[in-house]
Amino acid sequence: RLARTDWHSCARSLPSILQLFVYLEVTPSIASILQLKRRRIKRAIFVGSVLLLLLEATWSALGLALVPFHGGLREDPVALLLGQNGPVSSAVLALGCFAVLTTILGTNLALRSFCGDAKPLAALASYSFCVLAPALAPKGAFFAAIDFAGAYPVTLLWGCALPLMALAQRNKSRRQLVLLLSLFFISLAMVISFALQDLGLLSRAARWA
């Protein structure tokens, strides 16, 4: 199964993969809940990140093992897994439901931390609608939005803005400076590359068109 790798497809999927880092939006909320205790915050983020990594690895292994591949992938892998009878379709459906639920809860928690005066029920209702609304949109529009969001907002926020904010603080070791600058310039190069592709300078058409 692993012999059919296509790194060109992997590169095209990079913006969507970057969407996985959106879960970091709850970091300020975690810091507040844990009363800004650095050791507890690091432990919570580490455990949560490991759980997410295991979930993604399991999902990838499930897709590689169960999705048929005869001369190419002809259909949506998720639709193929849902079409199978038995525990596989139930597990995929449960995974999708929990993904939507955790997105609603995590974003609501982050929103309440950012807007302290907002009413909890109003914030939850508004963001629940924003999360569920894409289910009513065409599949192509949903994947295009995911790709666009990963290429620009996520990369600019987590890859460019945060390193600059960290660099603005004092007392940085040489190793920390190198890591922060490397992250910033790599992210900046990625954003420029995405923009050139979307302008048709590196490819015939935008990835999300």
Side-chain angles (χ1 to χ4, degrees):
R1 294 267 180 168
L2 295 178
R4 62 173 189 251
T5 54
D6 183 358
W7 292 108
H8 294 289
S9 298
C10 182
R12 290 194 300 269
S13 302
L14 181 59
S16 298
I17 295 173
L18 291 174
Q19 278 291 103
L20 295 174
F21 291 101
V22 171
Y23 80 97
L24 291 173
E25 67 184 3
V26 300
T27 301
S29 301
I30 293 175
S32 177
I33 293 173
L34 298 179
Q35 301 176 348
L36 302 179
K37 295 181 179 179
R38 180 172 297 182
R39 180 170 296 182
R40 296 179 63 190
I41 295 171
K42 287 184 176 180
R43 187 186 304 121
I45 294 176
F46 175 77
V47 173
S49 300
V50 169
L51 291 176
L52 179 62
L53 176 62
L54 292 175
L55 179 63
E56 295 298 333
T58 302
W59 174 252
S60 299
L62 184 67
L64 287 173
L66 297 179
V67 175
F69 189 89
H70 302 292
L73 190 60
R74 308 294 183 184
E75 301 180 45
D76 183 0
V78 177
L80 289 172
L81 293 176
L82 287 173
Q84 298 185 18
N85 297 323
V88 173
S89 59
S90 300
V92 173
L93 182 60
L95 180 63
C97 293
F98 280 114
V100 174
L101 180 61
T102 53
T103 300
I104 293 174
L105 294 177
T107 305
N108 177 65
L109 185 62
L111 184 64
R112 289 178 60 184
S113 298
F114 184 76
C115 305
D117 297 332
K119 296 181 180 180
L121 291 179
L124 178 60
S126 62
Y127 238 94
S128 298
F129 173 77
C130 294
V131 173
L132 295 174
L136 304 176
K139 181 174 62 175
F142 173 78
F143 287 115
I146 291 293
D147 188 275
F148 183 85
Y152 298 105
V154 172
T155 307
L156 287 171
L157 177 60
W158 301 112
C160 295
L162 286 186
L164 289 178
M165 293 168 63
L167 288 170
Q169 299 178 356
R170 299 180 180 180
N171 301 324
K172 290 288 183 297
S173 66
R174 183 180 181 85
R175 177 174 175 271
Q176 290 175 327
L177 287 174
V178 171
L179 290 175
L180 290 171
L181 287 173
S182 299
L183 176 59
F184 171 76
F185 284 113
I186 290 173
S187 301
L188 183 61
M190 291 171 58
V191 172
I192 294 174
S193 175
F194 296 147
L196 291 176
Q197 292 180 53
D198 292 337
L199 291 174
L201 299 178
L202 294 181
S203 60
R204 294 182 180 180
R207 300 176 320 280
W208 44 272

